[in-house]
Amino acid sequence: MTANRRPLGDLERLVMEQLWASPDALTVREVHERLTGERDLAYTTVMTVLDRLAKKALTSRERDGKAWRYRAAAPREELVADLMRDALDGAGDRQAALVRFVDQVSDEEAALLREALARLEARDG
Amino acid sequence: MITPILLAALALVLAGPAPAVIARSEWPYRIPRAAVALWQALALAAVLAALGAGIALSYSTAGQPGQPRFDPSSGRDLAAAAVLALTALVAVRLAWSVAKVAVGTRARRKRHRDLVDILATPDGLVPGLRVLAERTPLAYCLPALRGSRVIVSVGALERLSDVELRAVLAHEQAHLRARHDLVLEAFTMVHTAFPRWVRSDLALEQARTLVELLADDDARRRKGPAPLARALVALAGSPAPADGLAAAKSATLLRVERLTSPAPNHPLLAASTYTGAAALLVLPTVTVAVPVLRALLTAIG
């Protein structure tokens, strides 16, 4: 995580939020105007961020005269669903990509877990 | 003719009965780091022995090592060539699987990280922490050479006290620091290299459990056993989401029970396990190498 990557990553989220909030595709200038209310931002920075998002296939863009118009490639809810499916999918060989803290267990095992925890608390308490 | 038979037998034992015996035992869980090394040695030694058996068999049919001869009209020589080709095929398949898993894992992680960065909010508690506004309790890490992420959902935050959250984060950071994902990736590569009907899931499953134990031990040293055990129970025992996630058999109970006993410390057991792992690797290597070296020495001398 270098010093100049963090803010860009953060900006990607703010830019996407503007695109999700807008019913129409937005130009770089329009996104820039909507964001400068919250913070001081260079126009070229917004351009860079939108370009990065397009390369990541998170936005789609179309020509409008000389300018590009950007829209979110998918609704937010759809991407959240994608992410959750990916994070929760413990099946098969794909799990090495993500390492989850703990899997969910059956009711019987949950009861056994609480018993084991009670033993620990009793010993410590 | 004895070498290929020995090596083939060794490969079979290392691929089948040996993992089954070790996976049923309790002792590896006391020394997770040495146990990971043992599983790595098992997998590598099985592959080496299988490849070595093929190479040795083609030697023993087609002339002496160092004095190769090939006569296309001889059935023996053709059989030797076929065995060698089959061995090469296994090696190529392994290399292909290594590349496929490496590329696939990275692509999936990159896509996931792109999504996390636009959907989850950074939190300054630890570097790389992202909070996802979802009710499903969830905590996991997304490893990378640079810019790893730890992702925690709001549902998980609601179930955890501050000390418990810190124990979870310590666990995830232990995974990231020690690059446990690379350990799992290597086992995944070997696992996918073999067709479904010969491979066993034991090595990969055990590796998954053992790296969890390693991260648990690290978090326990930093934050104590109780917060971590409570966090495990809080997140595992929550109602499963709609898509029926509840795993039939999980390592969670083992992990919590392990936290209820004193911190494991078994230097002797660990040392003998490391020795066993080293011996496993030496065995097939020497068996293949010795006849070749001997032939080379004879040729030089």
Side-chain angles (χ1 to χ4, degrees), chain B:
Chain B
M1 196 60 205
I2 192 77
T3 312
I5 294 171
L6 280 180
L7 283 172
L10 183 65
L12 283 178
V13 169
L14 292 181
V21 168
I22 299 171
R24 259 200 309 272
S25 317
E26 288 283 321
W27 57 266
Y29 301 135
R30 282 181 233 144
I31 40 151
R33 197 178 304 276
V36 168
L38 180 64
W39 279 105
Q40 286 172 324
L42 265 177
L44 198 55
V47 170
L48 286 177
L51 295 180
I55 295 170
L57 184 62
S58 60
Y59 281 168
S60 62
T61 42
Q64 292 302 305
Q67 300 167 334
R69 56 179 170 76
F70 186 74
D71 176 5
S73 61
S74 139
R76 258 169 74 100
D77 285 10
L78 284 177
V83 168
L84 203 57
L86 194 68
T87 310
L89 193 72
V90 171
V92 166
R93 202 188 149 106
L94 192 63
W96 170 248
S97 158
V98 164
K100 200 179 70 177
V101 170
V103 170
T105 305
R106 263 145 210 84
R108 182 180 172 219
R109 269 193 209 140
K110 187 184 172 302
R111 173 71 182 165
H112 197 91
R113 187 146 66 122
D114 290 348
L115 289 181
V116 164
D117 282 352
I118 59 163
L119 296 170
T121 334
D123 186 304
L125 197 58
V126 296
L129 179 60
R130 296 287 187 280
V131 176
L132 194 64
E134 279 294 302
R135 311 295 301 178
T136 310
L138 193 64
Y140 61 98
C141 59
L142 197 57
L145 210 53
R146 264 180 13 172
S148 315
R149 305 271 187 271
V150 176
I151 296 106
V152 178
S153 71
V154 167
L157 289 180
E158 284 170 352
R159 283 177 170 80
L160 297 173
S161 72
D162 194 48
V163 276
E164 289 160 14
L165 173 63
R166 283 178 188 279
V168 173
L169 296 179
H171 171 104
E172 296 304 330
Q173 286 181 307
H175 277 318
L176 294 175
R177 246 194 328 272
R179 290 307 308 261
H180 288 154
D181 59 295
L182 294 181
V183 174
L184 293 184
E185 204 178 333
F187 282 104
T188 309
M189 286 163 173
V190 176
H191 188 251
T192 44
F194 292 96
R196 214 168 288 277
W197 44 273
V198 280
R199 75 180 178 204
S200 89
D201 297 337
L202 284 176
L204 187 55
E205 266 172 27
Q206 285 286 303
R208 280 181 188 148
T209 304
L210 289 168
V211 299
E212 291 307 320
L213 300 187
L214 280 174
D216 281 354
D217 286 352
D218 191 296
R220 161 192 224 160
R221 273 195 297 280
R222 288 161 202 273
K223 309 286 173 190
L228 186 63
R230 281 200 300 268
L232 275 167
V233 175
L235 294 188
S238 57
D243 56 347
L245 216 154
K249 177 174 147 274
S250 85
T252 315
L253 188 58
L254 167 75
R255 290 166 65 191
V256 173
E257 280 175 343
R258 207 161 160 276
L259 289 168
T260 65
S261 18
N265 180 27
H266 307 278
L268 204 66
L269 182 59
S272 29
T273 306
Y274 280 122
T275 313
L280 267 181
L281 281 181
V282 167
L283 206 60
T285 320
V286 166
T287 322
V288 176
V290 158
V292 180
L293 287 177
R294 196 182 292 143
L296 276 178
L297 286 178
T298 330
I300 295 165

Side-chain angles (χ1 to χ4, degrees), chain A residues 1-2 5-6 9-10 12-13 16-17 20 53 56-58 76 79-80 82-90 92-106 109-110 112-114 116-117 119-121 123-124, chain B residues 105 108-109 111-122 132 134 136-143 146-147 168 171-172 175 188 191-192 208 212 226 229-230 232 235-236 238 241 245-247 250 252-253 255-256 259-260:
Chain A
M1 217 168 309
T2 55
R5 271 182 63 170
R6 264 288 282 282
D10 217 11
E12 287 181 2
R13 185 170 51 85
M16 285 305 291
E17 276 164 10
W20 281 319
L53 288 169
K56 292 176 177 180
L58 293 168
R76 191 174 195 283
L79 294 183
V80 170
D82 270 6
L83 180 131
M84 291 301 280
R85 202 178 314 114
D86 197 35
L88 291 171
D89 175 19
D93 302 329
R94 315 202 310 158
Q95 211 189 22
L98 310 169
V99 186
R100 219 165 346 140
F101 176 62
V102 66
D103 289 314
Q104 242 122 32
V105 298
S106 64
E109 200 172 350
L112 292 172
L113 283 175
R114 281 190 292 273
L117 185 62
R119 283 201 298 279
L120 175 70
E121 309 273 12
R123 201 196 64 199
D124 287 3
Chain B
T105 305
R108 182 180 172 219
R109 269 193 209 140
R111 173 71 182 165
H112 197 91
R113 187 146 66 122
D114 290 348
L115 289 181
V116 164
D117 282 352
I118 59 163
L119 296 170
T121 334
L132 194 64
E134 279 294 302
T136 310
L138 193 64
Y140 61 98
C141 59
L142 197 57
R146 264 180 13 172
V168 173
H171 171 104
E172 296 304 330
H175 277 318
T188 309
H191 188 251
T192 44
R208 280 181 188 148
E212 291 307 320
R230 281 200 300 268
L232 275 167
L235 294 188
S238 57
L245 216 154
S250 85
T252 315
L253 188 58
R255 290 166 65 191
V256 173
L259 289 168
T260 65

